[in-house]
Amino acid sequence: MNFLQSHPRWDSSLKSEPTLATVLKALNAPDPAVPPFAQTITTVAGLSAISSGGIYYLNGDFVLNAPLNIRSNTTVYLRGSLMLKNQPMVDGWATNAVVDISGVNIRLIGLGNAEIISDHTASGFWVYDATNVLIEGFDIASTEQAFTARWNVNSAVFRNNYCHKLSHRGVHTVAGGDSGHIVIKHNFIDWASDGYDFDYVSTNSIAFENVIVGTSRWVGYMEEGTQSSRSVCNLGVMAKWFGESYMMGICDNGTTRRTFELTDRLTENNYLVKNVVYGPTVAYTGRADYWALPGGGDIAADAFGPIYMWGNTGYNYASQTGYIDYSGHPNLQPGVPKIADPNAPEVNAYIQQTLAVIEAVEETVGVPRNLSAEADTFVWDAAPTTNYGTTTRLLVKDVYGPGYDRVAYLRFPLDSMTSLVKTATLKLRVVQVGGEGVGDRTVEVRQLIDDTWTENGVTWNNRPLSTGALIATITDASIVGQTYSVDVTDYVNARYFAGEKVSFVLVQPASIGKGAHFGSWEDPVAEPILELQ
């Protein structure tokens, strides 16, 4: 963030980029709950127990002498770190990874920004011959590449990760499977030679809403026969690195034709849509098989097949607008529309289409769906006609006698559900506690069948009077920054089956008198979440 905040355009535009806010919010999202039946492992020796079909909770700092191999039908939660160092290199390339992944239905989930560490001699995650893979929530540092997907990978999601101090790329995809669909979403890639590279006959790779900072070559690149892939709504901020002869923003390069299974394959049918690149004041003077474009926030196409470049924006490091090439190679297929307006209907429609594809892939690999509240607020008996719908906090308290009681309300839409869910978890983060001294701050989570209340209209005087059945009790909501998870599966499924929204009321048992303050949806880092799986 220091590099971003020192950028000449930080105050004028960079700090307001929507992708930056989205990614920072994703990196600060509450951790998923670890299933109570997960097998806990706390030692390196215990890692040998990991086998196909299990669910594991790794709690501690693990120093490895070989890659951790994860195979089919396995879920691993990590709190702490995995470190692998002193691995062999071949021509400057890592031949090992901290985590080696192959098989089907594999999920790796970092808790508390769990660390994946090397000394630039190993990749972070290496995925091959794999289908339905999820990797999320990690701090990946000092690796050669953060995420590498090579040879027959289908339906993989790499999201909500902080990748930094990398010696090569952040993400590299090579020779995907029949369908591909590798989704790179909501990652912060900080200091790598390239942010992402969709390489050698990759298919259906998607980079969506990533922040890529400090790259010396490309923010993002599609090359060597990559087809039907997408770079959508990414934010790139390039750095001036010495020793590089070429520097570009986001590029689609079709001049390097590759022969795969004896068939020529062009780089084509790729979409570069609504990306923003802030570039350095360095001229691009690369090899003859690349276009010699002027320096700056370049978003360029150089292809023989159809390449769609819609609504992109490029800036030079200082004041002038960066160069954007909408024409590409002279042999670019005629008839491809050229759209400069980031808000054009075609741009917005394509973003929605991309979101639908991502949602389908995430559902396939088992990514939990996080629903934000459509309405939340609290009411206070000391101000019986005042509405608190715009506040960033949900206050809960009950004191013997009038003037101190607060009750909070939340409502979530269920229209994105298409069937009953296996689990539904309400997540509430404490942002402050009252000054009443030490002691348990008990909070009850109850059903609220009445959905007629409105966020900006409900007050103490007109609040729903029925609190509904008790779902669960948070026995001590006193730890600021702690996220409390409540199982609400049966209630959510019942409301979905009835075709209704789902509302909750948070109350404190009579006369506890020690208040708890939870984040509301207006708080970008502490909002309540309804997690569906």
Side-chain angles (χ1 to χ4, degrees):
M1 288 298 296
N2 289 337
F3 174 73
L4 292 181
Q5 292 170 351
S6 65
H7 196 284
R9 288 182 176 268
W10 172 255
D11 287 324
S12 62
S13 58
L14 182 51
K15 70 178 181 181
S16 302
E17 292 289 350
T19 294
L20 178 60
T22 297
V23 171
L24 292 178
K25 179 179 178 180
L27 295 183
N28 286 283
D31 289 333
V34 178
F37 48 81
Q39 180 178 340
T40 299
I41 297 174
T42 59
T43 66
V44 172
L47 297 175
S48 62
I50 296 177
S51 60
S52 296
I55 299 177
Y56 302 93
Y57 172 41
L58 279 54
N59 188 6
D61 297 317
F62 301 84
V63 179
L64 310 175
N65 56 21
L68 176 63
N69 296 321
I70 306 296
R71 299 298 181 250
S72 294
N73 302 309
T74 302
T75 297
V76 174
Y77 296 86
L78 171 65
R79 184 180 298 280
S81 64
L82 293 172
M83 178 184 294
L84 179 66
K85 291 188 174 183
N86 302 318
Q87 295 301 295
M89 302 285 285
V90 177
D91 294 331
W93 289 73
T95 58
N96 274 326
V98 181
V99 184
D100 181 293
I101 299 167
S102 183
V104 299
N105 304 325
I106 297 169
R107 303 171 73 227
L108 292 107
I109 300 167
L111 307 174
N113 302 119
E115 295 180 294
I116 304 295
I117 309 167
S118 176
D119 55 356
H120 302 291
T121 61
S123 289
F125 296 93
W126 186 286
V127 185
Y128 60 96
D129 290 329
T131 300
N132 297 346
V133 175
L134 169 65
I135 300 170
E136 70 169 356
F138 291 94
D139 181 322
I140 306 167
S142 302
T143 59
E144 193 222 13
Q145 298 184 154
F147 172 77
T148 304
R150 290 188 178 181
W151 319 120
N152 196 33
V153 176
N154 295 287
S155 298
V157 176
F158 182 77
R159 70 171 206 162
N160 301 4
N161 300 289
Y162 177 45
C163 315
H164 55 116
K165 301 177 183 176
L166 310 173
S167 59
H168 205 178
R169 307 172 180 91
V171 171
H172 192 206
T173 69
V174 175
D178 294 335
S179 63
H181 288 125
I182 299 173
V183 175
I184 313 302
K185 174 186 173 186
H186 293 170
N187 301 286
F188 197 116
I189 300 174
D190 191 0
W191 295 98
S193 63
D194 311 324
Y196 63 88
D197 185 354
F198 297 157
D199 204 349
Y200 192 63
V201 299
S202 294
T203 303
N204 288 324
S205 294
I206 301 173
F208 181 76
E209 287 186 339
N210 300 283
V211 174
I212 300 166
V213 174
T215 53
S216 62
R217 299 198 306 177
W218 303 295
V219 169
Y221 201 42
M222 303 179 192
E223 61 173 329
E224 298 183 0
T226 291
Q227 295 181 357
S228 303
S229 294
R230 312 172 187 225
S231 174
V232 181
C233 296
N234 297 287
L235 170 64
V237 183
M238 301 184 70
K240 181 178 180 180
W241 280 16
F242 297 100
E244 293 289 355
S245 61
Y246 48 97
M247 302 180 70
M248 295 185 67
I250 296 176
C251 180
D252 186 292
N253 176 43
T255 61
T256 49
R257 299 172 60 157
R258 283 298 179 100
T259 300
F260 185 70
E261 295 179 349
L262 304 180
T263 302
D264 282 346
R265 175 173 165 127
L266 298 177
T267 305
E268 62 182 355
N269 295 320
N270 300 311
Y271 284 76
L272 287 70
V273 177
K274 206 169 183 176
N275 301 284
V276 178
V277 177
Y278 291 76
T281 54
V282 176
Y284 167 66
T285 57
R287 303 187 303 272
D289 60 340
Y290 298 96
W291 271 37
L293 299 176
D298 302 315
I299 301 171
D302 180 8
F304 288 99
I307 305 299
Y308 298 83
M309 304 187 64
W310 293 352
N312 299 291
T313 302
Y315 298 102
N316 269 345
Y317 190 75
S319 59
Q320 66 269 40
T321 299
Y323 182 90
I324 305 176
D325 176 18
Y326 289 103
S327 60
H329 193 278
N331 292 335
L332 189 69
Q333 177 175 311
V336 173
K338 303 172 181 64
I339 302 171
D341 181 6
N343 298 309
E346 297 90 340
V347 171
N348 293 327
Y350 189 77
I351 292 171
Q352 294 305 310
Q353 181 196 81
T354 299
L355 285 169
V357 173
I358 291 173
E359 183 176 337
V361 177
E362 289 183 330
E363 185 171 355
T364 298
V365 304
V367 172
R369 282 177 290 162
N370 289 340
L371 304 185
S372 296
E374 69 172 18
D376 58 16
T377 187
F378 73 94
V379 296
W380 187 7
D381 68 342
T385 62
T386 300
N387 171 263
Y388 296 95
T390 59
T391 62
T392 60
R393 298 179 180 181
L394 305 175
L395 278 58
V396 182
K397 187 175 182 180
D398 188 282
V399 178
Y400 182 77
Y404 296 95
D405 295 348
R406 290 90 157 176
V407 177
Y409 299 92
L410 306 93
R411 185 172 64 239
F412 296 85
L414 300 180
D415 49 7
S416 65
M417 289 177 58
T418 57
S419 63
L420 299 179
V421 295
K422 294 180 181 179
T423 62
T425 305
L426 178 64
K427 297 186 173 184
L428 304 167
R429 182 175 293 187
V430 175
V431 295
Q432 185 179 335
V433 295
E436 304 89 356
V438 298
D440 292 347
R441 299 174 187 274
T442 303
V443 174
E444 294 179 347
V445 180
R446 290 182 170 271
Q447 299 179 7
L448 182 62
I449 305 303
D450 183 355
D451 283 334
T452 61
W453 62 277
T454 62
E455 182 178 63
N456 295 318
V458 66
T459 66
W460 182 269
N461 282 350
N462 65 13
R463 73 192 188 281
L465 296 179
S466 174
T467 58
L470 175 67
I471 300 173
T473 298
I474 300 172
T475 57
D476 186 11
S478 63
I479 304 176
V480 174
Q482 177 74 39
T483 297
Y484 295 86
S485 298
V486 178
D487 184 353
V488 294
T489 306
D490 291 342
Y491 178 44
V492 168
N493 279 334
R495 296 298 286 169
Y496 166 75
F497 190 77
E500 303 290 347
K501 299 178 180 181
V502 60
S503 288
F504 302 92
V505 57
L506 309 181
V507 299
Q508 192 165 76
S511 303
I512 292 291
K514 297 186 186 322
H517 303 186
F518 300 96
S520 74
W521 74 260
E522 288 89 351
D523 186 329
V525 298
E527 66 169 316
I529 293 293
L530 183 60
E531 179 185 277
L532 306 179
Q533 296 192 59

